[in-house]
Amino acid sequence: MTSLSPALAWKKYLTLCKPNVVLEMLFTAIVGMLLAVPGMPPLDTLAYSITGIALASASAAAINQFIDRKADAEMRRTENRPLPKGELNAAQVIAFAAILGIASMVLLVVKVNVLTAVLTFLSLFGYAFIYTVYLKRMTPQNIVIGGAFGATPPLLGWAAMTNEVHPYALLLMLIIFVWTPPHFWALAIARREEYAKVNIPMLPVTHGTEFTRLQILLYTVLLLIVTVLPYITGMTGLIYLASALLLGLVFIYFAVLMMRRKDNKTAMRTFAYSIIYLTVLFAALLLDHYLMIRP
């Protein structure tokens, strides 16, 4: 491994954290925090919670890259990560992940609450070990089952503010859980040859792209139904309902487009839209929460 300047080394460690993924997860956690209380939560608790969840998410991302380092080296999408390129070694990555994980748990236990720390640890362990080590290489339903671990941020945020597992928080978690398969399978279709090369049984590899496209369409329809539940249960009002319906119909449109067009470009457009979809949907939850327009 070549010696890196402090500034460059910092950037490589940041890359280990998968900052784009962590930021998206953190956004949904913050939405959970803000929805959990009628006004603004205490700023100190909010800051400690955000930091603790962010550190745990970054730790899980680093562990994921350590475990997947050999496969990452053979995939074009991941070959430039710090471990495959030899810019960091395994010992450095493990030490970095351990420091982040321990700091996260200490911060959450001392400054937030034990429930949030326990739930965050279960999420970290589930994604970094159960999903990455076993599920990812065991079954083409890896994304469906493993998606439960990635869907926890709103639950963690809610628990951080209230010290309870609220049904509404579970509903937010359900939305992300159902969103994950069509989001990731769209990417997997475009990258199916790379997954096949490293023997990772993603659905397009084991069951073909036609079957996967059908599953994406079915999941987007299910997602539209699930996203209406917050309105039906009285959690949200008309702003959220209108947003969920519009966003969901556009997602279904992209899924139908994937059924008609078999190219990777359409799959990647669908993948890109799925990220926009989740971000705008959770932003609509916040807007609805503070404006409170009810029928």
Side-chain angles (χ1 to χ4, degrees), residues 16 59 62-63 66-67 83 89-100:
L16 282 179
S59 175
I63 295 170
F66 165 75
I67 295 170
L83 270 169
N89 61 46
Q92 290 172 315
V93 173
I94 287 298
F96 178 67
I99 291 170
L100 294 183

Side-chain angles (χ1 to χ4, degrees), residues 198-259:
V198 295
N199 297 314
I200 296 178
M202 291 298 175
L203 195 64
V205 175
T206 61
H207 289 69
T209 58
E210 289 299 315
F211 180 79
T212 306
R213 287 186 175 94
L214 176 59
Q215 294 303 304
I216 290 173
L217 176 59
L218 294 175
Y219 265 92
T220 55
V221 173
L222 177 61
L223 182 61
L224 179 64
I225 296 170
V226 168
T227 54
V228 173
L229 293 179
Y231 176 77
I232 294 175
T233 59
M235 176 185 177
T236 62
L238 293 176
I239 292 177
Y240 169 78
L241 177 64
S243 302
L245 290 174
L246 179 60
L247 290 165
L249 289 173
V250 174
F251 207 164
I252 292 172
Y253 164 78
F254 273 102
V256 171
L257 206 60
M258 284 188 65
M259 297 286 289

Side-chain angles (χ1 to χ4, degrees), residues 27 29 50 127 174 179 199 223 251 267:
F27 174 65
I50 291 171
Y127 172 76
L174 177 63
W179 165 85
N199 297 314
L223 182 61
F251 207 164

Side-chain angles (χ1 to χ4, degrees), residues 18-293:
K18 297 184 180 179
N20 291 338
V21 176
V22 170
L23 283 174
E24 183 72 17
M25 295 174 63
L26 204 56
F27 174 65
T28 63
I30 293 171
V31 172
M33 295 174 196
L34 297 176
L35 294 182
V37 293
M40 280 296 294
L43 293 182
D44 56 342
T45 305
L46 186 71
Y48 290 132
S49 302
I50 291 171
T51 304
I53 294 170
L55 289 173
S57 300
S59 175
I63 295 170
N64 171 270
Q65 290 190 51
F66 165 75
I67 295 170
D68 274 347
R69 62 193 183 280
K70 291 183 180 179
D72 284 350
E74 298 183 48
M75 297 176 67
R76 189 175 47 152
R77 184 171 67 91
T78 55
E79 65 185 4
N80 289 320
R81 287 175 173 174
L83 270 169
K85 289 190 71 175
E87 295 168 332
L88 296 173
N89 61 46
Q92 290 172 315
V93 173
I94 287 298
F96 178 67
I99 291 170
L100 294 183
I102 293 170
S104 166
M105 293 301 106
V106 171
L107 185 62
L108 292 174
V109 168
V110 175
K111 292 296 186 179
V112 185
N113 57 62
V114 174
L115 175 63
T116 303
V118 170
L119 292 175
T120 302
F121 174 79
L122 292 175
S123 177
L124 186 161
F125 184 83
Y127 172 76
F129 296 102
I130 297 176
Y131 168 72
T132 304
V133 176
Y134 297 106
L135 290 176
K136 190 172 183 178
R137 291 163 175 79
M138 183 183 298
T139 169
Q141 292 298 309
N142 45 21
I143 291 301
V144 177
I145 304 169
F149 303 119
T152 58
L155 175 65
L156 304 181
W158 199 296
M161 296 300 108
T162 65
N163 199 21
E164 68 172 347
V165 175
H166 195 281
Y168 285 163
L170 294 174
L171 193 50
L172 296 178
M173 181 178 169
L174 177 63
I175 290 173
I176 300 180
F177 176 75
V178 177
W179 165 85
T180 301
H183 159 72
F184 202 89
W185 282 336
L187 175 67
I189 285 177
R191 299 287 186 261
R192 60 192 178 278
E193 293 178 359
E194 294 184 37
Y195 285 115
K197 181 181 177 182
V198 295
N199 297 314
I200 296 178
M202 291 298 175
L203 195 64
V205 175
T206 61
H207 289 69
T209 58
E210 289 299 315
F211 180 79
T212 306
R213 287 186 175 94
L214 176 59
Q215 294 303 304
I216 290 173
L217 176 59
L218 294 175
Y219 265 92
T220 55
V221 173
L222 177 61
L223 182 61
L224 179 64
I225 296 170
V226 168
T227 54
V228 173
L229 293 179
Y231 176 77
I232 294 175
T233 59
M235 176 185 177
T236 62
L238 293 176
I239 292 177
Y240 169 78
L241 177 64
S243 302
L245 290 174
L246 179 60
L247 290 165
L249 289 173
V250 174
F251 207 164
I252 292 172
Y253 164 78
F254 273 102
V256 171
L257 206 60
M258 284 188 65
M259 297 286 289
R260 296 175 59 190
R261 300 178 187 174
K262 314 301 182 182
D263 57 291
N264 290 343
K265 182 179 179 181
T266 304
M268 289 305 296
R269 285 179 61 199
T270 304
F271 172 73
Y273 173 75
S274 69
I275 299 172
I276 296 171
Y277 168 91
L278 190 69
T279 304
V280 177
L281 184 75
F282 271 72
L285 280 165
L286 272 186
L287 186 64
D288 184 276
H289 178 65
Y290 289 110
L291 293 183
M292 297 184 179
I293 298 177

